[in-house]
Amino acid sequence: MTSPQTRPATFAGTAIIVGASLSGLMTALSLSRIGMSVTMLERSDDNGRTGASLSAVEGMLERLTGKPPTADQPAMRGGIQTWVAVHDCLRAAVDRDPAIEVVHHAQVRELGQNQHHAWAEACDGQVFAADMVIGADGYRSVVRRFVAPDRPDASFAGYLIWLGISDETAISPPYPSGFAYHEAEGYCFLGAPLPGVDGSTESGRRRVSWAWYDGGCDTLLRSTGAVVDRVVQRTLRADEIPDDIYAELAAKAERLWPDPWREAIHDCVARHSIIATPTAEYVPERLARGRLCLVGDAAHLPTPMTAMGLRSAFDDALALADAISLSNRGNSSLPETLASYERARLTIAKQIVLAGRNFSRDFMRTARSRRVA
Ligand SMILES: Cc1cc2nc3c(=O)[nH]c(=O)nc-3n(C[C@H](O)[C@H](O)[C@H](O)COP(=O)(O)OP(=O)(O)OC[C@H]3O[C@@H](n4cnc5c(N)ncnc54)[C@H](O)[C@@H]3O)c2cc1C
């Protein structure tokens, strides 16, 4: 390990955040609000980043920044949004904030800490040091290995989720007015309308997103290396899904799901535009160790069926900033402060993941029994 080069620290302190996706961006904004100077280390660039749809909470951005949005700022709408819309809104707020720096192509591989600092070392050997390092690096978190070395990995829940998005023009009216939930033959299905690419919420000009939970794809996931042993490695891109699997999805959709969802699936199959996300879960035992802590999916990973990932990451971001500002007033040490963040968040985060795990177990039991029958 090379010795850390400390960035110039403001009195209110410095933080490094590993990962500049939704939870990293929210945490950066909440820490900047209390006067901290933040460096975000992100392994990727911003090109071609996509994700599923999410339920966002109205007013999230205002609560993170403490400021009302200005006329030229993209608003964070409540309700179902694409990952990209939520990301772009948070990222625009981060880019306007002079206390936050985002460093791309910085893949962190090592972490360290001593009495005075914590540091992160990127794969190119660069070392970034600050008062604390926060892991917002998702389900395969590197920071988690240092916070919880005895339980570093999230585990595969046994099923994947097929995900697609279509324009409403690809389906027939009447257009969906809200959420749809269906179960059949051991599968389950969620559908929802989304704003159109231009933000339109007018019926007929929106998009629809769907998620199909499937407990029978072990061979595909293991042959592509998306899951190895009990550990989820990655999401399968649309171009990695073989033609015969697309054909199988189309045939099953015909049998299992009602319109307009069946039409939406056929549209995605025709465009070869479906991704497959293996579900991982992580029940946390710790969220902090010394000057290191975790937020978002790195900290606690529930099945997407809970629809709580974004909300939990938002609550982490606020709780961490609260713990730090309280300790600044009470003169606690940083490790004590991060321990109080852990106390504030651990129980509820654990309950959310465990509730989701009950769903996962029931779902897999049903999926297996339907396959045997
Ligand atoms: C299919 C699906 C559906 C979902 N639906 C919902 C929903 O309806 N409602 C909801 O609230 N939540 C939902 N979620 C969960 C939600 O998407 C996440 O909880 C939320 O996006 C927070 O993610 P994150 O920022 O913690 O992690 P991630 O999005 O995984 O981001 C981690 C970031 O860290 C970077 N990174 C990783 N390792 C390193 C490294 N070593 N060095 C530097 N950078 C690194 C990555 O490139 C990435 O940018 C869903 C998730 C999935 C998969």
Side-chain angles (χ1 to χ4, degrees):
M1 167 71 59
T2 34
S3 69
Q5 306 147 7
T6 313
R7 293 178 69 243
T10 61
F11 177 74
T14 55
I16 286 162
I17 300 182
V18 184
S21 185
L22 306 189
S23 58
L25 295 169
M26 291 192 289
T27 305
L29 291 169
S30 71
L31 296 187
S32 164
R33 184 185 176 183
I34 58 163
M36 292 186 75
S37 161
V38 179
T39 303
M40 307 190 75
L41 305 178
E42 170 56 52
R43 65 183 174 191
S44 64
D45 56 26
D46 265 347
N47 297 327
R49 304 194 75 189
T50 59
S53 52
L54 298 156
S55 32
V57 179
E58 187 94 48
M60 254 179 171
L61 192 59
E62 292 86 311
R63 286 192 58 199
L64 290 165
T65 60
K67 296 178 202 142
T70 53
D72 60 336
Q73 246 176 343
M76 169 90 80
R77 292 204 188 91
I80 306 289
Q81 302 291 331
T82 56
W83 180 93
V84 172
V86 176
H87 172 269
D88 289 356
C89 176
L90 293 168
R91 182 57 201 255
V94 159
D95 287 344
R96 284 161 181 260
D97 189 329
I100 307 173
E101 181 192 8
V102 185
V103 182
H104 285 284
H105 304 293
Q107 174 153 4
V108 170
R109 64 175 178 197
E110 268 300 330
L111 291 158
Q113 58 176 317
N114 62 24
Q115 254 191 309
H116 307 289
H117 304 292
W119 58 90
E121 184 184 329
C123 287
D124 65 2
Q126 247 194 298
V127 177
F128 300 82
D131 295 329
M132 61 192 293
V133 175
I134 300 159
D137 49 344
Y139 68 101
R140 291 190 67 205
S141 172
V142 168
V143 184
R144 195 197 291 132
R145 291 186 210 150
F146 294 83
V147 170
D150 43 336
R151 277 187 60 249
D153 294 320
S155 39
F156 178 45
Y159 57 96
L160 65 71
I161 312 173
W162 303 106
L163 295 161
I165 295 182
S166 295
D167 285 340
E168 271 185 336
T169 49
I171 62 176
S172 317
Y175 298 118
S177 55
F179 267 119
Y181 179 80
H182 299 282
E183 290 176 11
E185 297 182 19
Y187 301 98
C188 63
F189 181 92
L190 289 153
L194 278 176
V197 182
D198 61 357
S200 175
T201 51
E202 203 179 302
S203 185
R205 301 188 53 190
R206 303 168 303 177
R207 288 170 291 174
V208 289
S209 78
W210 55 267
W212 174 350
Y213 286 60
D214 184 341
C217 292
D218 223 48
T219 310
L220 173 69
L221 293 175
R222 291 185 187 281
S223 65
T224 50
V227 175
V228 176
D229 299 326
R230 296 290 307 152
V231 181
V232 172
Q233 306 291 325
R234 64 194 179 85
T235 286
L236 287 181
R237 296 188 315 268
D239 62 0
E240 290 180 283
I241 295 170
D243 288 351
D244 59 325
I245 301 270
Y246 273 112
E248 208 179 292
L249 286 173
K252 276 191 197 154
E254 204 50 34
R255 191 174 79 237
L256 297 173
W257 311 125
D259 279 335
W261 306 109
R262 177 170 39 197
E263 288 179 303
I265 294 166
H266 282 309
D267 170 56
C268 293
V269 168
R271 292 185 289 113
H272 276 216
S273 184
I274 295 175
I275 60 171
T277 297
T279 303
E281 290 172 311
Y282 186 79
V283 183
E285 294 298 339
R286 324 189 46 134
L287 302 179
R289 182 181 289 269
R291 290 173 176 270
L292 312 178
C293 74
L294 300 169
V295 293
D297 287 1
H300 36 69
L301 185 59
T303 166
M305 187 52 98
T306 61
M308 284 299 289
L310 181 68
R311 176 70 214 212
S312 301
F314 172 68
D315 289 342
D316 291 344
L318 295 181
L320 184 57
D322 280 352
I324 294 170
S325 40
L326 272 177
S327 78
N328 275 350
R329 290 203 283 275
N331 274 335
S332 310
S333 71
L334 194 60
E336 283 165 352
T337 302
L338 297 187
S340 79
Y341 158 71
E342 178 178 284
R343 283 194 296 280
R345 292 292 301 142
L346 187 59
T347 306
I348 180 71
K350 218 167 160 167
Q351 280 166 357
I352 291 168
V353 186
L354 288 171
R357 200 161 70 176
N358 289 339
F359 160 83
S360 296
R361 286 179 176 170
D362 286 349
F363 175 73
M364 283 310 293
R365 218 172 287 126
T366 312
R368 279 194 205 102
S369 64
R370 292 294 164 94
R371 276 206 303 280
V372 170

